[in-house]
Amino acid sequence: MHSEPQTVGALRTTVGAAATIQGVYGTRGNLELLACDERDGLWVFWFNSDAPGSAPSGGVQPGRWSEGLAFARGMRFVQAQILQSALGPEHLEVLALDARGTLQSWYWAPEAGFRRRATDVGQGVRRFAAEHDDGVLRVVVDADSISTHVSDATGYPVRSWRQRAATPWERASLELGAHAHETLLRAGVDEREITPGTARSARSTRDGGTDELTWRGTDGVLRHVGVPWGA
């Protein structure tokens, strides 16, 4: 196992699966993790990926997670995803599905923090999956039907959305977590300690290439472990 499992946000009342990406801060690229609060808003946590012995960054020791930042208060969310943006530069993109079925679009900029955009991605949404490529966001949405909503970088940070039919690969992207669950089992995590449906994975370049695995334990606590690529 690449690293020992760590709890994330143990003092926060988060629910469901978390979403993780590799960010751009620090010498190795930090990790950003997004989770839904149990009742109100979202939590973002970040992991200091710098080498052991490096100075703390933002009050967080190397190899440790932050205590978390709350935002989007006043709404309850059921699914959220965070992506590193190529724009800004160093901005973050957030897609967040609220309990009413509205898929909201947010972004983070160093000078402004998290801001919700005026235009939502869709209504009546049950689940979604998103990817970011050179400023273009593609969001696969499961609502009355499965479709893909695309936004290019025109007018950024404002985004508008055009809808088209989802490809078979895009439809498959909605089935989240199978790879992560299998990798956790190979890494020695007891299946009885994984809340079903909460395993997620993201790839980072730290330490030569790492699968960043997150899951919610049966005790309700989020956990993270890094596993070498191919392990």
Side-chain angles (χ1 to χ4, degrees), residues 35-151:
C36 301
D37 186 82
E38 184 177 25
R39 297 181 180 87
D40 185 11
L42 300 166
W43 286 96
V44 64
F45 305 88
W46 69 275
F47 180 83
N48 186 346
S49 297
D50 289 349
S54 300
S57 177
V60 180
Q61 296 287 341
R64 296 294 176 184
W65 285 95
S66 71
E67 294 184 359
L69 171 69
F71 70 102
R73 292 302 201 192
M75 294 165 279
R76 185 171 68 85
F77 293 90
V78 296
Q79 184 188 348
Q81 188 171 346
I82 190 167
L83 304 104
Q84 178 62 55
S85 177
L87 304 174
E90 301 177 349
H91 289 189
L92 297 167
E93 294 280 352
V94 167
L95 287 304
L97 178 59
D98 69 31
R100 301 166 299 179
T102 299
L103 182 52
Q104 302 177 11
S105 173
W106 291 68
Y107 73 100
W108 177 88
E111 65 278 5
F114 285 99
R115 294 288 184 268
R116 181 182 176 182
R117 294 186 171 98
T119 304
D120 298 318
V121 183
Q123 304 289 333
V125 177
R126 291 185 288 266
R127 56 178 178 158
F128 74 94
E131 67 171 7
H132 181 278
D133 181 20
D134 197 25
V136 178
L137 271 176
R138 295 180 182 86
V139 187
V140 186
V141 171
D142 181 0
D144 292 334
S145 60
I146 297 177
S147 59
T148 299
H149 299 236
V150 182
S151 173

